[in-house]
């Protein structure tokens, strides 16, 4: 059943990504981006990566979508330009890249493989040393609150930068007196 859910979510994400190629409306692109992030967050939940899913849902589907819509509200949505040429070239490019990516996934270690390099890199150290290094007896808490604290700092920096960008756009518009 989990495999079926994975396949359905991946197909939905692929369809959303293909829609990016053909859609020319900026509002639709922002909404598709939010839908893609929400599907990715759901996939992360199915893969038992709840913390990553929460971050993807909050940042990718939530804040990024709101900031995108706010930016479009500030700068306005330009009229759709008629497509000058066919999108077949882009579609073929996406198809080729997708096939190459699928071909190379065979070289990846199996899902949950204990001998995979990712499981040999830091996990043993977290299990053996986190109590001494961090001083928190719960390994999950020590990982999320301390070792991965830099992830959170980086994500906060990205969100802060995006918010400053939106505020700069608002300030430029007010300075020029262009209210709509």
């Amino acid at each position: 059943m989990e495999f079926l859910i994975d396949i359905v979510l991946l197909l939905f994400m692929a369809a959303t990504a293909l829609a990016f190629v053909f859609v020319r409306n900026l509002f639709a692109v922002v909404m598709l981006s939010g839908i893609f992030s929400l599907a990715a967050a759901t996939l992360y939940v199915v893969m038992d990566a709840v913390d990553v899913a929460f971050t993807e849902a909050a940042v990718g589907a939530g804040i990024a979508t709101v900031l995108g819509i706010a930016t479009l509200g500030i700068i306005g949505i330009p009229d759709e330009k008629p497509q000058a040429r066919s999108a077949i070239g882009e579609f073929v490019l996406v198809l080729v890249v997708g096939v190459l990516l699928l071909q190379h996934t065979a070289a990846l270690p199996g899902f949950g493989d204990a001998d995979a390099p990712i499981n040999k890199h830091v996990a043993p150290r977290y299990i053996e040393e986190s109590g001494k290094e961090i001083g928190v007896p719960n390994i999950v808490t020590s990982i999320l609150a301390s070792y991965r604290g830099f992830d959170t700092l980086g994500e906060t920096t990205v969100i802060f930068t995006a918010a400053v960008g939106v505020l700069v756009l608002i300030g430029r518009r007010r300075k020029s007196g262009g209210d709509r």
Side-chain angles (χ1 to χ4, degrees):
M1 183 66 180
E2 187 177 319
F3 180 73
L4 181 64
I5 293 171
D6 288 348
I7 295 298
V8 169
L9 285 171
L10 287 172
L11 288 174
F12 184 71
M13 290 172 68
T16 307
L18 280 176
F20 277 108
V21 174
F22 297 106
V23 170
R24 297 289 176 224
N25 184 306
L26 291 177
F27 181 77
V29 168
V30 170
M31 296 310 295
L32 284 171
S33 173
I35 291 169
F36 186 88
S37 291
L38 195 58
T42 306
L43 186 62
Y44 294 144
V45 169
V46 173
M47 296 172 71
D48 292 331
V50 179
D51 59 325
V52 178
F54 180 74
T55 303
E56 181 66 33
V59 176
I63 294 172
T65 303
V66 168
L67 288 176
I69 291 171
T71 303
L72 289 177
I74 292 168
I75 64 172
I77 300 174
D79 293 333
E80 261 185 68
K81 295 178 183 174
Q83 194 170 359
R85 59 184 170 90
S86 172
I88 295 298
E90 289 89 353
F91 178 75
V92 170
L93 178 66
V94 167
L95 192 64
V96 168
V97 170
V99 167
L100 288 173
L101 287 173
L102 286 176
Q103 184 181 19
H104 286 84
T105 55
L108 294 175
F111 182 71
D113 182 9
D115 294 328
I118 190 70
N119 292 331
K120 289 185 169 186
H121 180 59
V122 293
R125 179 172 173 214
Y126 288 163
I127 294 169
E128 294 168 9
E129 304 292 330
S130 68
K132 288 184 274 184
E133 289 181 352
I134 308 301
V136 177
N138 186 316
I139 295 172
V140 175
T141 302
S142 68
I143 291 170
L144 293 177
S146 184
Y147 292 116
R148 296 189 61 190
F150 288 113
D151 288 348
T152 305
L153 178 64
E155 292 163 357
T156 306
T157 303
V158 168
I159 293 169
F160 177 75
T161 305
V164 168
V166 170
L167 291 175
V168 167
L169 287 173
I170 292 171
R172 286 182 60 188
R173 184 163 179 231
R174 285 191 181 158
K175 215 174 200 179
S176 65
D179 273 345
R180 281 196 237 181

